Amino acid sequence: MSTTERPRILVVGGGYVGLYAARRILKKMRYAEATVTVVDPRSYMTYQPFLPEAAAGSISPRHVVVPLRRVVRGAEVLTGRVTSIDQDRKVATVAPLVGEAYELPFDYLVIAMGAVSRTFPIPGLAEQGIGMKGVEEAIGLRNHVLEQLDKADSTTDEDVRRKALTFVFVGGGFAGAETIGEVEDMARDAAKYYTNVKREDMRFILVDAADKILPEVGPELGRWGKEHLEGRGVEIYLSTSMDSCVDGHVVLKNGLEVDSNTIVWTAGVKPNPALSRFGLPLGPRGHVDAQPTLQVTGTDYIWAAGDNAQVPDLASIKAGVPAERAWCPPNAQHALRQAKVLGDNVVSGMRGFPQKEYSHSNKGAVAGLGLHKGVAMIVMGKMKIKLKGRLAWYMHRGYHGLAVPTWNRKIRVFADWTLAMFLKREVVSLGAMETPREEFYEAAKPAPAPAAKAEDKADAKAKAS
């Protein structure tokens, strides 16, 4: 970490908003005008819309992440966590990966910590659940599902087999519907290489407390998505929830009980709970209360955007939605655009210029449900174009392929997709990656002391007497 007399712009978080805002600030500010510091527990940004495809093996996991130090050149990147903020002294406390925590002074602050999985106190969820917020979880889910097929193919115990081939997904939004669609597609392909496992032996279950899935694309496409998944053998239970999953025994509120080794939790997100320690004004659900300029309410040197911020949706308010209900939804479409306005406003605030308000009308939504399958709603003025099937899948891939940061990652992702047109999907499980030293440890650990011979024990006993 460098020390400088230049003003410091501290960006807390290296996700969508943190990365794009830091890039925008570096692009807009003059040489040596300020020091930009980005703090995040990970040294990379994850492009989350690609996690379901990474879990299915359609994209290499390395191509889903963007290294911060490579992309925000000219900024300091600190790998650690901001644990507290003293607004009076303008000092943040940073806890690095190793070593003692230290204080970092700042002049301007950007809160971009994003969101974490929203969970409930369901018995067994912490021990059995698999999230889908990070690339590590996507890789883990892929390896785990393929390991279950390995188990089912090798065992003669019918109970073990049935539990291994039952997959439960909780949450029917984008993350849940896309993940179950991609994983079912992968499992269907993988089953071709197993002697004792067929797709008909597997059971995929999708559960949601709402009365529909894919609400982001509207009721019509949501119904089509539900019918499409059911046509592929996915059981969908709506208006219900999971009561418990202790030891993999899943109990739903509608009375259904199944045993499963795979419980994937995608039931929404909530703002990062660390925000409560920063002394910032928070909304009723824990979001930082921000103005249309993305400045935190009551401050002129702190900005917030993305999933951790409560930002008024000026476009919806203009369309007649009551202001108390018009908030920008927590999605990538808003986060990417908010980050650019935020970056401009930080530079303007540093120079004493007026702030610009953020306003963006919804451009639609796209979702992939497996290879060549998807739904898309494109908004063009007052007209909504609704697509489904292969064409919607092309829209999904085209939009996200162009939206992923940097040309390096765009090219790599499109290369993965192009190769997949000619080569079969990889169905190798690398579960041992989670414990890479286990085999070496077994080989290198000290041998146990040899047991004493019976005559040696007798001699020792005689001497003692």
Side-chain angles (χ1 to χ4, degrees), residues 172-173 177 206 208 211-215 218 222-223 225-226 229 236 238:
L206 179 62
D208 198 287
D211 60 355
K212 55 183 175 293
I213 68 169
L214 292 170
R223 282 193 299 271
K226 177 177 180 292
L229 289 174
I236 300 179
L238 302 178

Side-chain angles (χ1 to χ4, degrees), residues 185-204:
D185 221 21
M186 178 189 72
R188 184 184 295 272
D189 279 353
K192 300 172 185 176
Y193 303 100
Y194 288 87
T195 305
N196 301 316
V197 175
K198 297 180 175 59
R199 171 60 183 91
E200 293 74 22
D201 301 330
M202 305 177 205
R203 188 176 184 185
F204 284 86

Side-chain angles (χ1 to χ4, degrees), residues 101-397:
Y102 54 87
E103 291 189 338
L104 185 68
F106 63 85
D107 297 275
Y108 306 96
L109 182 64
V110 175
I111 303 296
M113 299 184 70
V116 299
S117 295
R118 181 186 62 194
T119 58
F120 303 98
I122 298 173
L125 179 60
E127 295 78 14
Q128 302 292 325
I130 302 172
M132 274 295 285
K133 285 291 292 176
V135 68
E136 305 88 351
E137 292 170 316
I139 298 170
L141 175 60
R142 169 181 168 75
N143 290 331
H144 175 82
V145 169
L146 292 174
E147 279 183 355
Q148 301 314 303
L149 302 189
D150 291 341
K151 288 180 183 178
D153 190 57
S154 307
T155 186
T156 57
D157 188 319
E158 190 56 36
D159 290 337
V160 171
R161 174 183 168 84
R162 188 182 303 111
K163 189 173 182 179
L165 295 179
T166 301
F167 308 95
V168 179
F169 293 72
V170 183
F174 267 168
E178 288 189 306
T179 303
I180 196 171
E182 292 285 355
V183 170
E184 190 275 340
D185 221 21
M186 178 189 72
R188 184 184 295 272
D189 279 353
K192 300 172 185 176
Y193 303 100
Y194 288 87
T195 305
N196 301 316
V197 175
K198 297 180 175 59
R199 171 60 183 91
E200 293 74 22
D201 301 330
M202 305 177 205
R203 188 176 184 185
F204 284 86
I205 298 172
L206 179 62
V207 181
D208 198 287
D211 60 355
K212 55 183 175 293
I213 68 169
L214 292 170
E216 300 90 344
V217 295
E220 182 183 336
L221 290 177
R223 282 193 299 271
W224 183 89
K226 177 177 180 292
E227 292 169 1
H228 169 78
L229 289 174
E230 287 175 333
R232 289 162 56 183
V234 177
E235 301 173 37
I236 300 179
Y237 299 98
L238 302 178
S239 301
T240 192
S241 56
M242 185 170 68
D243 283 345
S244 70
C245 56
V246 177
D247 295 329
H249 182 68
V250 177
V251 180
L252 302 184
K253 197 170 287 293
N254 65 0
L256 178 69
E257 297 188 24
V258 297
D259 289 321
S260 173
N261 286 335
T262 310
I263 300 164
V264 183
W265 183 268
T266 60
V269 296
K270 63 181 180 181
N272 196 309
L275 295 171
S276 61
R277 302 195 298 266
F278 291 176
L280 302 170
L282 303 180
R285 293 183 296 170
H287 300 79
V288 178
D289 187 18
Q291 300 300 304
T293 59
L294 304 176
Q295 287 176 305
V296 174
T297 301
T299 74
D300 61 358
Y301 66 95
I302 306 177
W303 290 261
D307 293 356
N308 68 182
Q310 178 180 277
V311 180
D313 189 348
L314 298 184
S316 296
I317 293 173
K318 189 180 294 184
V321 178
E324 61 273 12
R325 292 195 290 111
W327 306 106
C328 294
N331 58 34
Q333 184 178 151
H334 279 286
L336 299 180
R337 289 167 173 81
Q338 286 173 1
K340 294 179 180 178
V341 175
L342 186 152
D344 290 345
N345 282 349
V346 170
V347 175
S348 295
M350 186 169 54
R351 296 173 180 171
F353 295 155
Q355 299 282 292
K356 177 184 175 183
E357 292 187 338
Y358 170 77
S359 179
H360 170 68
S361 299
N362 180 30
K363 299 300 183 186
V366 291
L369 300 174
L371 200 61
H372 305 147
K373 302 172 267 289
V375 291
M377 180 184 68
I378 312 301
V379 180
M380 302 180 66
K382 294 184 178 181
M383 183 173 61
K384 292 183 179 180
I385 302 174
K386 300 173 183 178
L387 304 172
K388 52 196 176 187
R390 185 182 287 262
L391 184 56
W393 178 77
Y394 284 131
M395 292 291 296
H396 161 75
R397 282 202 161 180

Side-chain angles (χ1 to χ4, degrees), residues 65-87:
V65 297
V66 181
L68 293 176
R69 287 180 174 85
R70 186 174 186 174
V71 175
V72 289
R73 290 181 180 176
E76 294 179 334
V77 177
L78 306 179
T79 306
R81 298 179 185 275
V82 173
T83 57
S84 66
I85 292 173
D86 187 330
Q87 295 186 49

Side-chain angles (χ1 to χ4, degrees), residues 10-24:
L10 177 60
V11 181
V12 184
Y16 291 109
V17 173
L19 181 142
Y20 278 98
R23 291 183 76 188
R24 188 76 170 187

